[in-house]
Amino acid sequence: MTEQATKIFDRLEQDHDKHRKLLDQIEATTGDSDGRNCLFEELTKELKGHAAAEEQALYSTMMRKPATTDDTRHSVAEHHEIDEMLNDLAATDKSSSAWLQKFKDFAHRYRHHIEEEEEDHFPDFEDHIDDEDARFMAKVFERRKQAEKAEAEVTPLALEDAKS
């Protein structure tokens, strides 16, 4: 593994650590409070910005490498499921017990996703990246993360409506 590859995966894991902290903070909130609303908006923008930048930097690179195509498709599909779950949470009354249960389900699902990336995909991907790939990914990730996060919005859309 190259030093450049280590840097990009460390950077992605820094975001994941921030996301874990936000999930914990939101779980500690109650009702339709300003705290819950602000943290949920921050989490939504973080996750949408991170996922879009990760797809443009990491997954676009890994898609071109036959050995990692299946894992790449799997992770991108999970990004779309996570986005739908975020939209469904935004469409649910935050003061209801249903919201908290949906959030806990979402948090469990997201934690599973990032653990799978960190423990399975990233170590495998490292074997297929050279320094040029890693430099490209780091540059694209930072640029796109800022742009995507700035444009990200909380978009309420119930899952049942998204499926129709």
Side-chain angles (χ1 to χ4, degrees), residues 23 26-31 36 89 92-107:
L23 292 170
I26 292 170
E27 281 191 34
T29 64
T30 57
R36 179 175 280 178
L89 277 164
T92 304
D93 177 3
K94 288 185 189 67
S95 64
S96 71
S97 60
W99 190 89
L100 186 57
Q101 186 56 53
K102 282 182 182 185
F103 181 78
K104 287 180 178 180
D105 292 344
F106 166 79

Side-chain angles (χ1 to χ4, degrees), residues 10-103:
D10 286 349
R11 176 63 186 88
L12 295 171
E13 289 180 21
Q14 285 175 0
D15 271 12
H16 293 171
D17 289 343
K18 181 176 185 176
H19 302 160
R20 288 180 184 98
K21 184 178 178 182
L22 285 166
L23 292 170
D24 291 343
Q25 290 175 318
I26 292 170
E27 281 191 34
T29 64
T30 57
D32 190 6
S33 64
D34 287 344
R36 179 175 280 178
N37 289 322
C38 289
L39 288 167
F40 181 72
E41 182 174 352
E42 182 180 353
L43 177 71
T44 298
K45 289 181 177 188
E46 266 296 319
L47 294 184
K48 288 183 177 191
H50 173 88
E54 190 175 56
E55 288 174 19
Q56 293 170 27
L58 173 66
Y59 290 123
S60 69
T61 300
M62 302 319 299
M63 189 62 82
R64 295 190 312 268
K65 303 187 185 275
T68 60
T69 300
D70 288 343
D71 285 343
T72 299
R73 285 186 179 136
H74 174 78
S75 286
V76 171
E78 285 185 344
H79 282 180
H80 295 289
E81 291 169 11
I82 289 163
D83 192 50
E84 287 179 351
M85 292 177 83
L86 278 171
N87 294 342
D88 187 50
L89 277 164
T92 304
D93 177 3
K94 288 185 189 67
S95 64
S96 71
S97 60
W99 190 89
L100 186 57
Q101 186 56 53
K102 282 182 182 185
F103 181 78

